[in-house]
């Protein structure tokens, strides 16, 4: 059986249709620029003691509501993964409101109250992503102890810290290192 040659005109028509079909498929598969997933908030926790130091993603929240965090209680160094949870639209909007309030944007870059011992402690590196990034460094952040010692943090920072602790607890399902959520509730956050 002999193959008939495809006329040149029909071949160009077929190739053109395939090119258009490929372009349509690629356009549908690619995310549109305004719907691209971006990071809203990232909190990295560094802790140190005489025996070791560690760095982990304490909390990361994306614009589409995905929130993730490293587990601290059940750690398997052979398989380190992030716990994840999809936040509701109302939770994402409330977080955006808190992050982009003028009072949040006016917070200082560093809060270095040293409540811990010499040989141990922790630091939260908080990054709020917007047109211009806002970085905060919180060393041994303990708002309840700070209030007891009459050296309180700004209320907006306490509010942000409480929101981070609340979201982390929701994402990981783990209890916090201390009963900070109870203290946050007592402060009205």
């Amino acid at each position: 059986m002999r193959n008939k040659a495809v006329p040149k005109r029909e071949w160009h028509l077929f190739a053109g249709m395939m090119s258009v079909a490929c372009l349509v498929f690629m356009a549908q598969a690619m995310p549109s620029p305004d719907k691209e997933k971006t990071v809203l908030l990232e909190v990295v926790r560094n802790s140190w003691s005489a025996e070791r130091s560690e760095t982990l993603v304490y909390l990361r929240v994306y614009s589409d509501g995905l929130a993730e965090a490293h587990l601290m209680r059940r750690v398997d160094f052979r398989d380190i993964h992030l716990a994840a949870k999809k936040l509701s639209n109302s939770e994402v909007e409330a977080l955006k409101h808190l992050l982009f309030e003028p009072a949040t944007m006016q917070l200082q870059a560093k809060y270095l109250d040293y409540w811990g011992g010499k040989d141990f402690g922790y630091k939260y590196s908080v990054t709020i992503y917007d047109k211009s990034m806002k970085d905060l460094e919180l060393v041994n952040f303990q708002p309840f102890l700070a209030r007891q010692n009459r050296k309180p943090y700004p209320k907006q920072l306490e509010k942000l810290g409480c929101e981070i602790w609340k979201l982390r607890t929701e994402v990981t399902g783990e209890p916090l290192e201390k009963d900070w959520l109870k203290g946050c509730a007592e402060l009205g956050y």
Side-chain angles (χ1 to χ4, degrees):
M1 206 180 195
R2 287 177 65 192
N3 289 338
K4 292 186 175 181
V6 177
K8 194 174 188 180
R9 182 176 170 271
E10 289 177 24
W11 176 252
H12 284 286
L13 181 62
F14 174 74
M17 288 174 30
M18 289 304 293
S19 295
V20 169
C22 286
L23 288 172
V24 168
F25 174 76
M26 288 172 44
Q28 289 174 343
M30 293 176 59
S32 64
D34 57 321
K35 292 187 180 184
E36 193 173 310
K37 180 166 103 170
T38 59
V39 177
L40 291 176
L41 171 70
E42 183 173 60
V43 182
V44 175
R45 184 178 192 267
N46 302 91
S47 60
W48 58 89
S49 67
E51 293 93 34
R52 69 182 184 157
S53 65
E54 66 182 16
T55 301
L56 53 89
V57 174
Y58 197 73
L59 179 68
R60 183 181 299 134
V61 180
Y62 293 92
S63 57
D64 68 349
L66 176 67
E68 56 190 15
H70 281 119
L71 298 173
M72 292 175 64
R73 307 248 181 210
R74 298 165 295 190
V75 178
D76 180 355
F77 289 108
R78 296 166 295 177
D79 180 28
I80 297 176
H81 68 280
L82 295 166
K85 179 184 178 189
K86 181 79 169 173
L87 302 177
S88 70
N89 289 341
S90 61
E91 287 176 305
V92 173
E93 290 306 313
L95 178 62
K96 283 181 183 178
H97 180 72
L98 173 63
L99 294 177
F100 305 125
E101 282 182 32
T104 303
M105 290 294 138
Q106 293 170 359
L107 291 171
Q108 296 175 21
K110 292 184 180 189
Y111 292 90
L112 305 172
D113 289 329
Y114 294 99
W115 306 111
K118 261 172 123 173
D119 298 333
F120 62 91
Y122 60 91
K123 174 180 75 172
Y124 296 121
S125 298
V126 180
T127 304
I128 299 169
Y129 293 89
D130 193 19
K131 294 173 184 123
S132 60
M133 290 185 349
K134 174 77 174 170
D135 290 315
L136 302 169
E137 186 176 302
L138 312 175
V139 177
N140 295 323
F141 179 66
Q142 296 190 32
F144 318 113
L145 184 57
R147 280 187 177 219
Q148 284 176 354
N149 291 326
R150 294 188 174 102
K151 297 180 181 177
Y153 294 99
K155 289 185 186 259
Q156 191 71 10
L157 186 60
E158 291 177 345
K159 191 174 173 183
L160 177 62
C162 288
E163 185 64 17
I164 289 168
W165 289 329
K166 180 183 89 85
L167 290 173
R168 177 177 167 73
T169 303
E170 285 181 31
V171 171
T172 64
E174 292 182 330
L176 296 170
E177 304 88 275
K178 297 185 181 188
D179 195 6
W180 286 324
L181 293 179
K182 180 182 175 191
C184 289
E186 289 171 359
L187 294 178
Y189 302 124

